[in-house]
């Protein structure tokens, strides 16, 4: 889920408002203008472009804050909100690009306009990148690829970056990126399984084997592929029986309820 959408979800659920115990922070609901969620994955270009309509509402809110005498010094925005960094520059605000991915992945997007050779030179201490390592939609010219290039052309002008990672996991990319733009890490790893990425069946079976051999209790939201009527068709034979009492698998779980449960040790 994009950061703006998550923000909107959080502040409209008053009973779970994380700022309720922080009296110095105030939340404001700003229309994100995004296309309906059911249509987003069908046309990602239209989705990204629809977010540009959000700028006028942020500008209005900024004006309201100014009239009320509330100082504004910084804007933190998802890297895919292409208008955010230019907006911050126009209004003399510190611009922070919020990156919902690892710094290594961010570096690929950040230098998307350089091509494969540019990436190899940039992340010099990382394993050499191969064409098969890069999503095809980013290599071949496409409407979506061009849209992402334009988003990150603005991100390169940001004053700083907040990325989703740990230093120990991303240290090489972090140190290299810091020569370009200051990078701060928020200490968590994003999860895109099921929400963005449909894993192929061989990958699903490898994940299943890893979960089983780990010996850990788990809850797994597994999206059906186009050829499956039940997730058991995608899993190793006897996997569900073997994991009885160890794991729970379903097509969907409420993330908020799962993540706040005291029994959960990792997500």
């Amino acid at each position: 889920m994009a950061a703006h959408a998550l923000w909107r979800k959080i502040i409209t659920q008053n009973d779970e408002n994380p700022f309720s115990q922080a009296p110095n922070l105030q939340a404001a609901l700003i229309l994100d203008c995004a296309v309906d969620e059911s249509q987003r994955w069908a046309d990602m270009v239209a989705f990204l472009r629809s977010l540009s309509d959000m700028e006028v509402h942020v500008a209005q809110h900024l004006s309201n804050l100014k009239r009320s005498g509330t100082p504004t010094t910084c804007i933190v925005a998802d890297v895919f909100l292409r208008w955010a960094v230019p907006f911050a520059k126009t209004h003399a605000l510190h611009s922070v690009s919020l990156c919902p991915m690892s710094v290594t992945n961010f570096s690929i997007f950040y230098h998307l306009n350089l091509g494969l050779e540019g990436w190899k030179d940039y992340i010099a201490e990382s394993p050499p990148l191969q064409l098969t390592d890069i999503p095809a939609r980013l290599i071949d010219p496409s409407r979506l690829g061009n849209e992402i290039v334009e988003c990150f052309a603005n991100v390169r002008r940001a004053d700083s970056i907040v990325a989703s990672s740990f230093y120990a996991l991303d240290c090489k990319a972090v140190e290299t990126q810091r020569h370009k733009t200051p990078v701060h890490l928020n200490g968590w790893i994003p999860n895109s399984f099921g929400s963005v990425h449909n894993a192929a069946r061989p990958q699903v079976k490898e994940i299943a084997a890893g979960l089983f051999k780990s010996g850990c209790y788990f809850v797994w939201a597994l999206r059906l592929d186009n050829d499956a009527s039940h997730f058991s068709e995608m899993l190793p034979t006897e996997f569900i029986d073997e994991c009885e009492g160890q794991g729970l698998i379903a097509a969907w779980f409420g993330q908020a309820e799962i993540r706040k449960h005291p029994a959960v040790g990792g997500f």
Side-chain angles (χ1 to χ4, degrees):
M1 182 183 292
H4 67 280
L6 177 61
W7 175 259
R8 181 176 63 173
K9 180 178 179 181
I10 288 175
I11 62 178
T12 54
Q13 295 177 342
N14 294 328
D15 58 328
E16 297 183 5
N17 189 340
F19 302 110
S20 60
Q21 303 303 317
N24 294 329
L25 294 178
Q26 297 181 9
L29 182 62
I30 299 174
L31 187 65
D32 65 11
C33 300
V35 297
D36 184 78
E37 188 169 0
S38 63
Q39 304 174 21
R40 294 178 187 179
W41 306 120
D43 191 344
M44 284 296 296
V45 173
F47 167 54
L48 291 175
R49 290 180 178 174
S50 70
L51 299 177
S52 295
D53 296 332
M54 183 182 181
E55 179 178 3
V56 65
H57 299 286
V58 175
Q60 182 60 55
H61 182 64
L62 189 66
S63 296
N64 294 340
L65 290 174
K66 186 176 181 179
R67 283 196 296 271
S68 68
T70 303
T72 304
T73 58
C74 176
I75 181 169
V76 181
D78 190 286
V79 291
F80 292 104
L81 297 180
R82 69 161 72 190
W83 55 268
V85 174
F87 179 90
K89 300 297 182 184
T90 299
H91 294 276
L93 302 174
H94 184 89
S95 58
V96 179
S97 286
L98 180 63
C99 171
M101 62 185 81
S102 70
V103 182
T104 299
N105 284 345
F106 171 80
S107 297
I108 294 175
F109 282 89
Y110 188 93
H111 293 87
L112 191 60
N113 63 319
L114 299 180
L116 188 59
E117 291 303 316
W119 296 334
K120 286 181 178 179
D121 293 339
Y122 181 71
I123 316 177
E125 297 181 7
S126 295
L129 291 170
Q130 305 296 326
L131 285 173
T132 53
D133 298 326
I134 311 300
R137 69 179 66 179
L138 301 184
I139 299 173
D140 298 328
S142 66
R143 292 171 61 236
L144 180 57
N146 292 336
E147 194 72 18
I148 294 174
V149 166
E150 292 182 20
C151 287
F152 278 81
N154 287 340
V155 169
R156 284 192 286 274
R157 299 171 53 207
D159 295 306
S160 56
I161 296 163
V162 174
S164 302
S165 189
F166 291 91
Y167 182 79
L169 295 178
D170 246 353
C171 56
K172 294 178 181 178
V174 169
E175 292 301 329
T176 307
Q177 179 64 43
R178 280 176 174 168
H179 291 294
K180 301 285 186 178
T181 310
V183 179
H184 308 281
L185 305 178
N186 62 19
W188 62 274
I189 303 298
N191 167 44
S192 64
F193 291 138
S195 60
V196 175
H197 177 64
N198 275 338
R201 291 198 182 188
Q203 294 175 310
V204 170
K205 291 180 178 179
E206 288 294 328
I207 294 171
L211 287 171
F212 177 67
K213 291 179 180 179
S214 73
C216 296
Y217 296 102
F218 65 87
V219 175
W220 187 6
L222 179 60
R223 177 184 289 181
L224 298 179
D225 62 27
N226 293 331
D227 299 321
S229 58
H230 190 270
F231 49 73
S232 61
E233 300 169 27
M234 304 169 59
L235 296 167
T237 305
E238 308 300 332
F239 176 77
I240 294 178
D241 292 337
E242 291 175 344
C243 287
E244 184 177 2
Q246 179 186 352
L248 179 62
I249 307 172
W252 182 89
F253 291 101
Q255 289 190 18
E257 289 74 18
I258 293 292
R259 296 178 71 171
K260 71 184 180 182
H261 196 283
V264 175
F267 178 78

